[in-house]
Amino acid sequence: MKQERFSVGGVPAILWGERADGVYFYVHGQGGSKEEAASFAECAASRGWQVLSIDLPAHGERQNRAGALDPWHAVPELEQLLAYAWPRWSRLALFANSIGAWFSMQALQGAELENCLFVSPILDMERLIRNMMGWAHVTEAQLLERQTIETDFGQTLSWEYFCWAKAHPIVKWNAPTRILYAGRDNLTERGVAEEFTHRFGCRLTIMEDGEHWFHTPEQLAVLEQWIKDSL
């Protein structure tokens, strides 16, 4: 498949596929990179779409650069990506995974998106952080006092991040959206996914034996078929 590597405002990017009038933004989750868009791009190209993927802060080519995977770095970059795409394609759409979905909703709330596909999306960041605080037995007062706290499950709790999430809940999302949710997702509770789906008129597909990270052969087969059906 044709690939064009370049940067958008200093952010490494790949444009996948032959010239088309529509483009999908591909926004990866924690631990991902722009290269992981390859299989999605193959499928999207067969439906007449190009795909534009980027490395989020501290990921891919940016692992050793300044910046962290937080909303005050990631959201402006996705807004910048939208500004880049707007005059170049007449049709815009979005594929986002995990925290990439939450960043994307923060950045693209006002965009006219033809289709949105979310895989294991983070839909309520404040609730997730509160859950993680509970897992780590950390109170709000303790987090305020210490500002950042490392946990034994690999995440860093941040007072600044917590305050940002509380100040920026998702209250508007008008794009037609399909969600693939895992029945054993340990980050977004089923009730949160169902409430979000009802509130914003999304279409929810649940793989009961799925996990937040779709990675087994069975899970990947479900993901592939869902993508084909959703494009």
Side-chain angles (χ1 to χ4, degrees), residues 1-66:
M1 163 170 281
K2 181 179 178 182
Q3 296 181 30
E4 180 184 353
R5 292 175 177 263
F6 58 106
S7 66
V8 178
V11 177
I14 302 177
L15 179 62
W16 308 77
E18 300 296 331
R19 176 63 193 168
D21 65 352
V23 67
Y24 264 89
F25 302 124
Y26 185 102
V27 186
H28 64 77
Q30 185 171 349
S33 71
K34 63 188 181 302
E35 283 77 14
E36 75 175 43
S39 60
F40 175 78
E42 289 280 358
C43 193
S46 70
R47 306 297 203 279
W49 291 85
Q50 290 181 282
V51 173
L52 181 58
S53 59
I54 64 168
D55 286 328
L56 289 174
H59 286 67
E61 294 180 42
R62 309 175 68 188
Q63 291 185 55
N64 298 316
R65 300 186 191 178

Side-chain angles (χ1 to χ4, degrees), residues 33-191:
S33 71
K34 63 188 181 302
E35 283 77 14
E36 75 175 43
S39 60
F40 175 78
E42 289 280 358
C43 193
S46 70
R47 306 297 203 279
W49 291 85
Q50 290 181 282
V51 173
L52 181 58
S53 59
I54 64 168
D55 286 328
L56 289 174
H59 286 67
E61 294 180 42
R62 309 175 68 188
Q63 291 185 55
N64 298 316
R65 300 186 191 178
L69 188 65
D70 54 45
W72 49 94
H73 284 99
V75 171
E77 292 180 356
L78 292 171
E79 293 172 339
Q80 177 180 261
L81 190 69
L82 175 64
Y84 172 84
W86 195 257
R88 291 172 171 82
W89 289 275
S90 60
R91 301 164 62 209
L92 304 178
L94 170 66
F95 179 98
N97 185 37
S98 189
I99 196 172
W102 186 68
F103 289 149
S104 297
M105 286 188 287
Q106 295 288 348
L108 308 179
Q109 290 184 45
E112 293 185 13
L113 300 173
E114 186 171 312
N115 194 25
C116 294
L117 307 180
F118 291 162
V119 179
S120 299
I122 302 301
L123 302 170
D124 186 338
M125 182 60 76
E126 179 186 352
R127 186 181 184 98
L128 174 57
I129 294 173
R130 288 187 183 278
N131 286 343
M132 290 194 292
M133 290 167 65
W135 302 339
H137 307 291
V138 171
T139 66
E140 282 193 45
Q142 290 171 326
L143 190 56
L144 171 61
E145 179 181 3
R146 296 173 59 180
Q147 292 296 302
T148 60
I149 297 176
E150 299 292 334
T151 69
D152 58 9
F153 48 85
Q155 298 294 328
T156 301
L157 296 171
S158 160
W159 178 255
E160 184 178 13
Y161 205 131
F162 180 51
C163 291
W164 203 100
K166 288 198 295 183
H168 297 85
I170 303 299
V171 296
K172 177 183 177 183
W173 186 247
N174 296 326
T177 300
R178 296 170 184 246
I179 296 172
L180 178 59
Y181 177 80
R184 292 188 285 154
D185 194 322
N186 62 339
L187 298 182
T188 295
E189 296 151 289
R190 189 179 188 128

